[in-house]
Structures are given as C-alpha cells and as structure tokens.
C-alpha cells in the first residue's frame, strides 16, 4: 500500500469530533510503531511540528525528546512560548539549544539571499545532528511533514533547504500528520489543547527573520526588525486583524535615510510593513490596512524602536512582487 497517498475516501477533518477520532487512531498507531523506543523531534514551534509533538507526547510521553533550536531569527517571544507550552504545560522532554551566536556569526557579512538561506538550513542540520549524536538509543525521528509537502516536493519540509541528516544517523521516520492538509492540522492541534496563538499562527518562513533583515544581517537591525514585527502583530491583534489577514510582517532594509528627532538630525533605517492575503501563496493581494491603524503603527515603531526613523507600506501585490522581500 502506498502510505504517501491520501485515500480518496478519507474524510476531511473539520470538526472537534473528527479530530478526536483522528487523535485516538494515531495515538494507537504511534504506540504500536514506537513500542518502548525513543523518538527525536525538531520542534520549531510552528503548527506542524507542534501538533506532531503534542500527538507524540500523548502517545509515548517521555519517550519523545524534543529539540528546539533558537537560531536567533525567531519572532519575539517564540522560544519562550515553546518552552512554556511544551516543558511547563505538557511536561515534555525538551532540549532548548541557544544557537544564536553560531548562526549570526556564520551569517555575518553574507548579503546574497540564497546563500543566507543555505547557511541557515545547513547550520540548522548541523546543530540538530550534534544534539542527536549526544543522545543514545534513539530509533525514530518525528517529522511534521504534511500532505502539501508530499504533493509539492519530495516530502522534505521546505525549510530544510539542504540535504538531511548524515546516513549513519539512520532513523526511522514518524510522520503522523503526513496525509493532512494545513486546515486539518489546525483542527487537530486545537483538539490537542495547543494555544490558539500556535494553532492559528500565520505562515513563517523556515529561515525566519533572516529573509526580512535584508542584505547582510546585523544584530542591531535584527533586533529592530524583531521589535517592529512584535508591534505590528500586537496592533493587528488589538484591532481584530489577527487570524483574518493571511500573512503580515515587517522588513528592515540595509540602507538609511535622514530624519529628525528631539530637534536633532537622525540617520537611521526604515521599516517596511507588508500584509497580504492569498489562498495558495502563488498570488497575493494587499490587505488594505485602515489609515488610523497605519498611523498608530508608524507612531509606535518610530518612538519605541531604536534606529528606526521612517515607516513605509508596501502595497505591491504578487505578482509582480513576491510576498517576502528576499
Ligand atoms: P514568496 O516570497 O515566494 O513566498 O511569495 C511565498 C510563501 O512562502 C514563504 N517563504 C518561505 N518559506 N522557506 C520557507 O519555509 C523559505 O525560504 C521561504 N521563502 C518564502 C513566504 O513567507 C510565503 O508565505
């Protein structure tokens, strides 16, 4: 039987009751597959890996070892949320790896977007591999592969842009949501008790803020980007746009412009706002952010974020622009 093809008669998981049935069935299947062995999982905090983690915790508890790699390119509060939800609330075995300096040192001076992506992908695998080698007797590798990953690529998550783990680490794969579409993964996540902010999270690229801190990443611009992004998300949530707009974020380019603050001339970076709607990310339209909200976001970013003296609003659809800037 081809286990990578969704059976034609498979019912779409749209309700809590259907999600419960799926969870029950998977928990049983996972227990049968895993037995008393251990499972390793790279837990980014994204919807897919979080749902797989929650399923595995329900099925095999402490036999699951989650590894959360903080590569320094996550949004504000994300590593803390992963630790809070999985270690504190779900009592999972969670290894938190602070790899911020490693990633930022490797990325220093690298301006070419694809090169940046390759470095982030390769370093991620290296860090994960180091953790895997430290742990004995791991037999299984959990993965948050979902059905579109199988349909669109060769089943490898898009953010693993380079290869995979070395061959001597030959784990057997555990992919409990590989036949589900994204909306179904969310329904299952909700039924597993994950917080809404995790379950309904907007898409976030694997290379994270790395592709939004344009050109060669510097720590100060990256911090400014993280703070500006947090303000945008806060304001969208406060104004009922969270969960309504498909993807929204800020970008910090690597050029400065002149401004004035407290009677003094400044020479600082702009922040670009982007908010788009789409169904498949192949084309996208612009969210028409109400003007008073734009003004509020601009006011907050320019007063609260260091090194920023200007806010721009990108109103270009896809095509001819892409959603991300790099
Ligand atoms: P673009 O910029 O191509 O983006 O219009 C389409 C969607 O893909 C996301 N994206 C990425 N996701 N790794 C990812 O995992 C990447 O390198 C990457 N680049 C873009 C983007 O955020 C949007 O949702």
């Amino acid at each position: 039987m081809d286990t990578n093809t969704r059976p034609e008669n498979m019912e779409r998981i749209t309700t809590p009751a259907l999600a419960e049935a799926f969870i029950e069935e998977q928990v049983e299947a996972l227990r049968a597959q895993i037995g008393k062995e251990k499972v390793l999982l790279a837990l980014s905090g994204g919807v897919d890996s979080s749902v797989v983690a929650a399923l595995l915790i329900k099925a095999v508890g402490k036999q699951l070892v989650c590894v959360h790699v903080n590569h320094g390119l996550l949004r504000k509060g994300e590593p803390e949320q992963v630790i809070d939800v999985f270690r504190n609330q779900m009592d999972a075995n969670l290894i938190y790896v602070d790899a911020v300096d490693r990633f930022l040192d490797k990325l220093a001076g690298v301006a070419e977007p694809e090169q940046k992506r390759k470095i982030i992908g390769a370093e991620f695998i290296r860090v994960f591999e180091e953790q895997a080698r430290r742990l004995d007797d791991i037999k299984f590798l959990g993965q948050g592969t979902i059905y579109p990953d199988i349909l669109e690529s060769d089943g490898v998550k898009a953010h693993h842009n380079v290869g995979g783990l070395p061959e001597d680490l030959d784990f057997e794969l555990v992919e409990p949501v590989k036949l589900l579409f994204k909306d179904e993964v969310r329904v299952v996540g909700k039924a597993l008790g994950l917080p809404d902010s995790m379950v309904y999270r907007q898409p976030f690229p694997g290379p994270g803020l790395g592709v939004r801190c344009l050109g060669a990443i510097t720590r100060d611009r990256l911090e400014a980007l993280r703070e500006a992004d947090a303000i945008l998300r806060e304001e969208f949530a406060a104004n009922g746009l969270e969960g309504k707009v498909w993807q929204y974020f800020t970008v910090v380019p690597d050029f400065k412009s002149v401004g004035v603050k407290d009677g003094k001339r400044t020479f600082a970076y702009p922040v670009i706002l982007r908010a788009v709607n789409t169904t498949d990310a192949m084309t996208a339209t612009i969210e028409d952010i109400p003007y008073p909200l734009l003004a509020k976001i601009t006011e907050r970013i320019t007063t609260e974020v260091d090194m920023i003296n200007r806010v721009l609003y990108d109103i270009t659809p896809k095509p001819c622009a892409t959603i991300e800037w790099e």
Side-chain angles (χ1 to χ4, degrees):
M1 195 180 89
D2 176 7
T3 58
N4 274 346
T5 303
R6 188 174 163 117
E8 263 175 39
N9 60 357
M10 186 170 153
E11 192 172 2
R12 193 104 177 180
I13 302 170
T14 51
T15 63
L18 290 168
E20 292 295 348
F22 173 84
I23 293 165
E24 219 169 279
E25 189 185 295
Q26 281 306 315
V27 163
E28 216 168 286
L30 287 168
R31 284 184 184 150
Q33 184 187 4
I34 296 162
K36 299 245 169 294
E37 303 291 341
K38 286 191 185 152
V39 190
L40 186 63
L41 173 75
L43 176 59
S44 68
V47 189
D48 307 335
S49 65
S50 296
V51 169
V52 169
L55 268 174
L56 280 162
I57 291 165
K58 202 169 168 91
V60 298
K62 293 271 166 118
Q63 286 163 253
L64 171 71
V65 182
C66 303
V67 176
H68 178 62
V69 177
N70 180 358
H71 52 29
L73 306 165
L74 299 170
R75 287 172 293 195
K76 189 170 176 176
E78 285 185 326
E80 293 82 0
Q81 187 186 40
V82 168
I83 291 171
D84 184 48
V85 169
F86 290 98
R87 187 182 282 163
N88 303 346
Q89 296 176 35
M90 295 195 166
D91 196 28
N93 251 330
L94 172 71
I95 300 172
Y96 169 74
V97 187
D98 179 347
V100 175
D101 287 338
R102 269 178 78 156
F103 277 84
L104 296 186
D105 289 350
K106 277 256 155 65
L107 286 163
V110 181
E112 208 278 309
E114 286 316 307
Q115 190 61 20
K116 285 165 68 178
R117 277 190 170 76
K118 280 214 175 88
I119 290 172
I120 296 164
E123 196 59 19
F124 182 87
I125 291 195
R126 211 166 295 136
V127 172
F128 188 67
E129 184 201 337
E130 283 169 19
Q131 294 300 322
R133 287 194 191 284
R134 281 195 192 173
L135 300 159
D136 292 332
D137 58 333
I138 299 267
K139 184 164 174 205
F140 294 97
L141 182 69
Q143 277 201 334
T145 311
I146 65 171
Y147 206 44
D149 297 326
I150 291 176
L151 296 178
E152 287 160 25
S153 62
D154 53 2
V156 177
K157 293 294 284 182
H159 60 269
H160 292 180
N161 286 333
V162 285
L165 289 170
E167 274 181 14
D168 65 314
L169 286 175
D170 73 354
F171 301 117
E172 226 174 278
L173 290 184
V174 174
E175 300 176 299
V177 297
K178 72 175 175 183
L179 296 183
L180 302 194
F181 289 101
K182 196 81 173 189
D183 53 312
E184 298 177 284
V185 178
R186 293 193 209 274
V187 180
V188 171
K190 184 91 183 135
L192 284 162
L194 292 173
D196 282 3
S197 55
M198 222 166 218
V199 171
Y200 299 109
R201 222 164 84 140
Q202 51 168 323
F204 187 55
L209 300 180
V211 295
R212 298 174 183 169
C213 186
L214 305 186
I217 298 168
T218 57
R219 287 171 195 251
D220 49 1
R221 274 194 308 118
L222 182 60
E223 263 339 289
L225 171 63
R226 200 178 339 258
E227 289 301 322
D229 173 76
I231 291 172
L232 179 71
R233 286 192 289 138
E234 249 176 68
E235 288 300 328
F236 266 42
N239 288 278
L241 293 174
E242 188 183 46
K244 181 178 162 270
V245 181
W246 196 79
Q247 197 173 15
Y248 46 97
F249 54 88
T250 56
V251 173
V252 174
D254 53 352
F255 58 80
K256 292 181 176 175
S257 73
V258 179
V260 60
K261 192 175 185 184
D262 302 329
K264 285 201 195 90
R265 184 178 179 278
T266 60
F267 193 48
Y269 296 103
V271 158
I272 299 154
L273 309 179
R274 189 134 175 82
V276 300
N277 290 305
T278 176
T279 47
D280 57 7
M282 301 301 285
T283 62
T285 56
I286 298 307
E287 172 70 18
D288 189 358
I289 306 176
Y291 186 81
L293 180 56
L294 274 177
K296 169 104 188 284
I297 292 167
T298 301
E299 159 77 16
R300 281 198 60 192
I301 290 177
T302 50
T303 51
E304 293 175 34
V305 185
D306 279 348
M307 304 194 14
I308 302 298
N309 65 355
R310 212 177 270 273
V311 174
L312 313 175
Y313 179 23
D314 179 0
I315 57 162
T316 328
K318 175 180 182 175
C320 61
T322 49
I323 294 173
E324 302 287 346
W325 269 57
E326 276 192 342

